[in-house]
Structure formats: C-alpha cells, structure tokens
Amino acid sequence: MAAKFTIPGTTYIGDGALAAAGSDICALGTKALIVTGQSMIKQGFMKVLTDILEQNGVGYVIDSKISGEPTDVMIEEGLLLYQENACDFIIGFGGGSPLDSAKAIGAMVTNPGKISDYNGKVIQNPIPSLAAIPSTAGTGSEVTQFTIISDTKNQIKMLLKGSVLLPDIAVVDPQFTMSTPKSVTAATGLDALTHAVEAYTSKKATAQTDLYAVSAVKKIFTYLPRVYADGSDKEAREAMSAAAYEAGICINNSSVTIVHGMSRPIGVLFHVPHGLSNAMLLKDCLEFAADGTYERFAALGRAVSSGSDETAAKKFIEALGEICKICEVPTLEEYGVDREEFFKVIGKMAQDAYDSGSPGNTRKAVTIEDMEMIYRKLWEK
C-alpha cells in the first residue's frame, strides 16, 4: 500500500547551519515576523539571526511574547503584529512553543475566522513562507505539519494540522541548544523519545518512518543521559538535535498514539510542560499498549536486551522507566499537582484525550475507561 512521506522543503542541519541557511531564509521575503521568547534575546542568539537579516537588507519585527505553551491569545497578538507591520514571511526561533506559534500565526494570516474554528481540522489555505529554527532538541516542530495551541476559553489543547503548515526551511543548529537548562534538556529529550516510540508502534507506521524512529531511539538512549549529566557535551548535543529532527519526521508521517493523547489534557489543566507530561505517562501508557504489538516493542527492545518478543518488549518498557529516572522526571505529586483536583477531572481528561484521535492510532483498542485507569495509576507511585 502506498504511503505519503513529507519533510520540509529544505533542511540545514549541523554546526553552523544558520549561517549556511542565511541566504535561503532571506530569499523568503522582504520583512519577517520573528516569533520567539525572551530567552533567545537574553542569550544573544537573536542578534545572530537579525545580523544575517540586516546584512541582506531584510526587515523584521520581533514578537517575543511567547512564554510557556502557546495560547490563542498569543496567536491573536502575533497576527496583529504581522499585519500592522506589513510582514510577508515568518521565522519561528526558539523552543517548540515559538515554532508552533509561528505556524499558527501563519495559518491565521491566510485563513479567516478564529483559531478555535480550526481545531482538529485541516488548514487549507497556504500560509506565508516560514523558516523554523529550534533551540531545543525535542519537539520536532521544525519538521511537522502540526501545531498545538491552548484554547483558553474551553481549556483544551487544539490540534491544527495541514501540509501547508510544514516549514519551507528547517534549520537545526545545535549551537542554540548548548545552554538549554537541565530540566528542559530532559523534558524535550524525552518528548523526542516519545515521538520515536509512538511513531514506530503507531498503526500508521511505514518503512520510511521505521528507519528514522529506530535511529532516533538508539541516539536518545545513548546521548540523553550524557547530555543530562553534562550540558556542555557538544557531541551529545549534536546527536540529540539530530534525534529530535528524526523523531519529528516520524510523527509528521505516522502520528502519535496514547501518550500524547493523554498528555495534552494534563498540560492544559495543570500547566505541566508538554515533554514532562509525556515522560510522566510514558512507561504506564506503553506498558498498557505493549501487548497490542509485542513484535514492534520488541524490535526497539533489541537495543537493550534479547529474548522472545514478549521478554524484549517488557525489557524495553523497563528501559523507558529507567531513562525517565535518570532524567529525574517527577511524579505529578512531586510536581505540585493537587491529587483531589486531578481526580475531579479524570473523566474530562480521558474524554478529551479520546476526542483528540491520537489514542486511536495505538495498535490496541483504547477506551475512555482504559485511560481513566492509567490516569489513576499515576498516583500509585
């Protein structure tokens, strides 16, 4: 059966990638809206980008108000800035939130109505030209046709999608990840691991995504513990940037499954960062899903063990738990989530997760009751 496989129009990856990509980025338009966060300015990274634009006579305006995970309010403000300054292309520069915001702003430039009108729908109208430059190794947003935006009124995370959201240029330059804080390194690295494992075990997996997924899993198990222990480890930073890129390509083409479906409601209701909520759920969700495709979990497990499919699969699930321990992933309680408040909304979270469609990609039937059980299990640790 034929499978569609999409990636960004052009990718620059490796040390010095931004400098190499400069002329291509500047050819996208005459005035850029740069969507970013304050940390990129404070660390001096923004000047690296704006110097390139200025040297090529390209104008720009900076939207640096993206803080935390993006909301519909942030997107509306960014859209206004784009329109008022007569911008004609967009650069997302920073972590997953600025990159997702850049896509969403672009979508609203060319598609009428409110952003909430497009929740779960396919964006049709082509967006302005877009370059995506990640500063973390994890979200993979630079290579996906998806964006996740919080609906502040309905308290849900909206999934916007469409091939028009795929960046024209992806610039994966590990220099921007070198100063990533330890906690963010862990959360984004485990997010990338979740992408790779879910893509490999998804119903939508293909031969092409399998290659990228296995490669990403091997890199992350080798290099995430290293970079978590020593953030200045340049080799590990470069490998993690490559792994995040590979894992992003995977979910762009074969999607995510139960972990992401259940993670989003925790993020929006309890303000747990996306990568961290994925990590909190990773072992329990995949332990549940494993018997739906022992052979696929076993294939991943061969990197850490041997034996029958069932044995290798279970060893791999244990290894997922171990890497989360190495990265000091807190429990919900340790993070500060109130148990009583959490239990009050388990029903809503399970329904929202189910409605997202992601759990349906799992190679095992997943019910709302199954997800309620897993949410409760998070408090048994």
Side-chain angles (χ1 to χ4, degrees):
M1 184 176 178
K4 185 178 180 181
F5 188 76
T6 58
I7 57 176
T10 302
T11 294
Y12 288 85
I13 186 167
D15 195 30
L18 180 55
S23 58
D24 276 359
I25 293 173
C26 291
L28 294 178
T30 59
K31 190 167 188 179
L33 173 68
I34 303 174
V35 184
T36 190
Q38 283 293 320
S39 66
M40 301 305 290
I41 298 171
K42 291 175 182 175
Q43 294 177 84
F45 293 150
M46 183 57 64
K47 190 174 186 305
V48 178
L49 173 60
T50 56
D51 280 354
I52 291 173
L53 297 176
E54 290 172 7
Q55 288 162 12
N56 286 272
V58 175
Y60 60 86
V61 60
I62 300 172
D63 176 5
S64 61
K65 294 182 179 178
I66 309 302
S67 59
E69 297 189 346
T71 67
D72 46 7
V73 175
M74 294 179 196
I75 304 310
E76 289 166 6
E77 292 175 349
L79 173 62
L80 189 61
L81 198 60
Y82 181 97
Q83 294 169 331
E84 288 179 340
N85 289 275
C87 297
D88 58 5
F89 75 106
I90 302 173
I91 301 172
F93 188 26
S97 293
L99 269 55
D100 272 7
S101 298
K103 294 179 187 177
I105 292 168
M108 298 318 297
V109 169
T110 56
N111 291 270
K114 299 179 298 183
I115 193 167
S116 57
D117 297 336
Y118 297 94
N119 182 28
K121 297 179 181 177
V122 176
I123 304 293
Q124 298 289 349
N125 295 335
I127 71 171
S129 296
L130 171 66
I133 311 167
S135 66
T136 59
T139 70
S141 187
E142 70 275 10
V143 291
T144 70
Q145 55 189 318
F146 309 109
T147 179
I148 305 292
I149 307 295
S150 292
D151 180 334
T152 52
K153 181 180 178 182
N154 296 308
Q155 289 194 304
I156 58 170
K157 284 195 175 184
M158 301 180 290
L159 173 64
L160 283 70
K161 56 189 176 181
S163 59
V164 297
L165 297 180
L166 196 64
D168 297 283
I169 301 174
V171 181
V172 184
D173 194 329
Q175 69 166 310
F176 301 122
T177 71
M178 292 299 296
S179 56
T180 305
K182 196 171 186 178
S183 61
V184 178
T185 294
T188 53
L190 292 169
D191 190 21
L193 178 60
T194 306
H195 292 163
V197 176
E198 287 198 288
Y200 191 81
T201 57
S202 165
K203 290 177 181 177
K204 297 179 180 179
T206 68
Q208 289 78 19
T209 59
D210 284 353
L211 290 172
Y212 282 100
V214 172
S215 177
V217 168
K218 288 179 177 177
K219 284 186 179 74
I220 294 167
F221 268 97
T222 300
Y223 292 103
L224 181 55
R226 270 179 55 175
V227 79
Y228 184 71
D230 178 10
S232 66
D233 186 332
K234 192 169 184 288
E235 182 186 16
R237 288 287 188 193
E238 290 176 351
M240 284 303 299
S241 287
Y245 175 83
E246 292 171 339
I249 287 175
C250 289
I251 61 167
N252 187 54
N253 290 282
S254 59
S255 198
V256 290
T257 64
I258 185 173
V259 182
H260 272 73
M262 292 184 64
S263 170
R264 295 186 196 111
I266 293 177
V268 74
L269 292 175
F270 297 99
H271 309 293
V272 179
H274 173 69
L276 192 56
S277 57
N278 276 345
M280 290 173 173
L281 285 158
L282 189 59
K283 184 174 184 291
D284 289 324
C285 281
L286 297 183
E287 196 168 50
F288 165 83
D291 63 359
T293 179
Y294 273 138
E295 69 280 5
R296 289 210 148 239
F297 281 101
L300 295 175
R302 303 296 180 207
V304 295
S305 70
S306 59
S308 68
D309 279 358
E310 184 174 351
T311 299
K314 289 179 177 178
K315 288 286 186 183
F316 182 69
I317 301 300
E318 290 173 11
L320 292 175
E322 283 303 311
I323 198 169
C324 286
K325 286 180 182 176
I326 290 169
C327 291
E328 300 176 283
V329 174
T331 63
L332 285 166
E333 185 176 21
E334 289 167 345
Y335 190 77
V337 175
D338 182 89
R339 186 181 190 278
E340 186 176 344
E341 291 302 313
F342 188 89
F343 272 71
K344 281 181 184 177
V345 293
I346 280 179
K348 171 181 167 51
M349 291 194 296
Q351 184 66 58
D352 288 348
Y354 186 84
D355 291 344
S356 75
S358 296
N361 296 324
T362 309
R363 295 191 186 215
K364 177 180 180 177
V366 182
T367 67
I368 290 173
E369 291 73 25
D370 291 329
M371 290 186 284
E372 289 177 344
M373 176 271 294
I374 295 170
Y375 279 133
R376 289 192 293 270
K377 191 175 179 181
L378 295 179
W379 292 88
E380 295 174 4
K381 297 177 175 21

